[in-house]
C-alpha cells in the first residue's frame, strides 16, 4: 500500500529545466512511499515517470486510447480508458493532491478541476487560476523538494468535500 | 433539429451585470436556432436558461446528481449524470462552441478543456488561459450580440481534431 | 418540460417486427409527454426516433463519437460524447426508466446496468438478467402500449437509491 | 511492467466456493506476472485481492466513491473515481481480458460491455449473454487454472476493434 496518491500534471513537451524538475519530483515521491498518477505520455509525464522508475517506485499512466501501446517506457502500470483527454480528470479523481509542472491549457484544465473538487495543487511554473471559496489551495513553490513536501502535507489533510459517497 | 449546439459556461453565482449578459446570450442563441447546453444549476446557468425560456428555445442541463430535482426551473431538458462535476466536460463534448461568462476555477477548467479539444471559447469576462498550438481559439468579446455571432461562426467552422471516431 | 425521461435501448439492426415496435414505443412516449433518450444510431434507435419524429416529440441521441455527423435523421438533439460505447451508460443515467427492445450484448449491458442502479427496465424481447435485491425491476411485456404504460408508471415511482447526491 | 492487465469481476458477496475460486484466480494471475483490476470492494473482489496479496502481486481497485476509505485491505492501489458504479466500465477499459466469477446484474453489465468492446470474458459460473458478431468471446471454464490460462491466452491476442485511437 502506498502512503498517498499524488498526481503529476504538465505538458506533453518539456524543456530540460522542467524535465529535470519532473524527474526529481517523481523520484522524491517514490522515495517517500507515494503512488504517482500521470497521463502516461511524453514530456513532463515521461520525465516524471523516469524519476519514479529510477527510484524503484510506482507510476500509473491513464491513457486516452483504448490500448496500452502509447504509454512511455517507464510506466509501472498502463491504464487504457478510451475516453480521450477526459482521462485527465480521472488522474485528478484518483489523487489526494496534485503537482503541476509548467503546462498550458491542458494542465490548466486539470489543475482548475482539482481545485474545484477541493484538492490542493502545488504549482511549479506559471499556473494562474482564480480560486473560489471551497476550492482546494493553489500553492506556488520553486523546487521539487518543496513541491513533494507540500503535496504530501496537503494529501495528508485531504478529505473529500463530497463526503464518502 | 438545431443549427448548432452551444454551451454556456460560468459560475453558480452571478451578479446583475453578468446575469443580464447570460440571459441575453441564451435569448439570442435561441432566436438564432441553436440548442443550448449548460450545467443546469444557479447563477450564470440559470440566467442563461431564463433567456432561452423567454425566447421559446431549448436548453439542456447536465446535472452532477443522479436525479432531476436540482435543475433550475427554466430548463427544457434535465440530464442527470451522477458523475459530479465531471459533468462539466460532457457540456464541452456536446457543444460545437462555448460561451464563457465570468467564472472562476470551474469555468476555467471547462474553458481550458474545450480549447484542448480544439473547440473555440468566446469569453465575456476575465478568462485567462495559455493556449497552445492545435487548441481552439480563445476569443474575447464585450457584448452578448458579439458573443453569439462569434460562437455561431466558430461552431460553423468546427471539425473534430480527433476525426469522426 | 417533459413528464419523464425514458430511454429506449436495443440493437443497431432491427427486423421489421421490432422496428415497428420501436417506432410505436417512440410515438406513444411522445404523445404522452415524455422525452426520449437513445444511442442516436441505426436499428432500434432509428426506428424509435422515427416514431418520436412523427409524433412531434423530442428524442436525444448520445453519440459515441466526437461529432454530430453519425446521428440518424430523426433526432431532435444530437449529443456527441467522444467516449465510445460508454455513452450507453449516460443514457441509463439520464433516464427515469428504460424500455429494452430485442437486443444482444450491448442492450444486455445497458439493461443490467440500469437494474444495478435501481431503475426499472421494461423488456419486449428475450432479455434475461439475474436480478438481485436492491435492483430495479425487470418487467416483460408484449406490446408497445404496455411497454409505455409500465415505463411511465415505473418512472413516476423512481427515486435514486443513491439519494440526491 | 506487467505481462497483461486482467480484470476480475463478480458480486460483492461470495460464498466459500466462489471465494476460493476468486482467491486462486488472483493468486495465479499474480504468479504469472499479470496486473489485476477489480472493483476494490467485498465479495469476489476481496477474495481475489487476497489471493493477489498472498502471491506478492499487484491489484488495483477502482472505487465508486471519491475517497480511498472503502477499499478492501488487500489492494495494492486504490483508485477513487467518484462516478459510482460507472467505475465498473473503467475496469473493462483497463483490462486486456476479463475473468467473471459468479455474479448477477452488476457482473452481467460488465461482462456484456466487455464483449461489446471486443474483449474476451472467461466465465466461471452461470453468466448468460447473447453474443453478436464482432464481440469478444464468452468462454466457460470450470477451474481457476483454466480461467487464468485462457484469460492470458486471450489477452495476448487482444487488439482493440477501435484501433489505436
Amino acid at each position: 500500500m502506498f502512503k498517498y496518491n499524488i498526481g503529476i500534471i504538465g505538458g506533453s513537451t518539456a524543456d530540460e529545466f522542467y524535465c529535470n524538475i519532473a524527474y526529481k519530483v517523481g523520484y522524491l515521491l517514490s522515495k517517500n512511499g507515494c503512488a504517482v498518477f500521470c497521463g502516461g505520455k511524453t514530456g513532463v509525464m515521461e520525465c516524471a515517470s523516469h524519476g519514479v522508475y529510477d527510484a524503484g517506485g510506482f507510476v500509473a499512466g491513464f491513457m486516452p486510447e483504448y490500448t496500452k501501446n502509447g504509454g512511455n517506457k517507464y510506466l509501472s502500470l498502463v491504464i487504457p480508458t478510451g475516453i480521450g483527454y477526459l482521462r485527465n480528470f480521472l488522474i485528478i479523481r484518483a489523487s489526494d493532491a496534485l503537482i503541476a509542472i509548467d503546462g498550458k491549457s491542458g494542465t490548466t484544465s486539470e489543475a482548475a478541476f482539482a481545485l474545484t473538487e477541493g484538492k490542493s495543487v502545488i504549482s511549479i511554473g506559471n499556473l494562474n487560476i482564480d480560486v473560489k471559496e471551497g476550492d482546494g489551495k493553489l500553492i506556488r513553490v520553486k523546487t521539487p523538494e518543496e513541491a513533494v513536501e507540500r503535496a504530501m502535507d496537503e494529501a495528508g489533510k485531504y478529505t473529500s468535500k463530497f463526503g464518502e459517497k
Side-chain angles (χ1 to χ4, degrees), chain A residues 7 49 53 79 84 93 104-105 110 126-127 131 135:
Chain A
S49 300
Y53 184 89
I79 309 178
R93 284 272 170 97
K104 293 184 186 287
S105 53
E110 293 171 288
N126 57 355
L127 210 58
V131 178
D135 278 0

Side-chain angles (χ1 to χ4, degrees), chain A residues 14-27 43-44 47-48 51 101 124 144:
Chain A
D15 61 22
E16 203 186 336
F17 177 76
Y18 283 116
C19 184
N20 285 340
I21 286 175
Y23 177 92
K24 199 69 188 294
V25 166
Y27 190 92
V44 161
C47 300
I101 299 169
I124 303 183

Side-chain angles (χ1 to χ4, degrees), chain A residues 4 96 120 137 139 150-160:
Chain A
Y4 301 118
D96 301 313
S120 294
K137 282 181 260 177
I139 298 168
R150 297 301 303 272
M152 291 183 67
D153 191 43
E154 291 299 314
K157 291 186 284 188
Y158 171 69
T159 54
S160 172

Side-chain angles (χ1 to χ4, degrees), chain A residues 88-100:
Chain A
N88 292 2
F89 308 108
L90 296 180
I91 300 169
I92 306 306
R93 284 272 170 97
S95 302
D96 301 313
L98 285 301
I99 298 175

Side-chain angles (χ1 to χ4, degrees), chain A residues 53-89:
Chain A
Y53 184 89
D54 284 355
F58 175 88
V59 53
F62 280 108
M63 309 301 294
E65 298 93 354
Y66 284 91
T67 66
K68 296 182 292 185
N69 303 337
N72 72 61
K73 64 185 170 186
Y74 303 112
L75 295 175
S76 316
L77 183 71
V78 190
I79 309 178
T81 70
I83 60 174
Y85 293 140
L86 280 177
R87 71 79 153 85
N88 292 2
F89 308 108

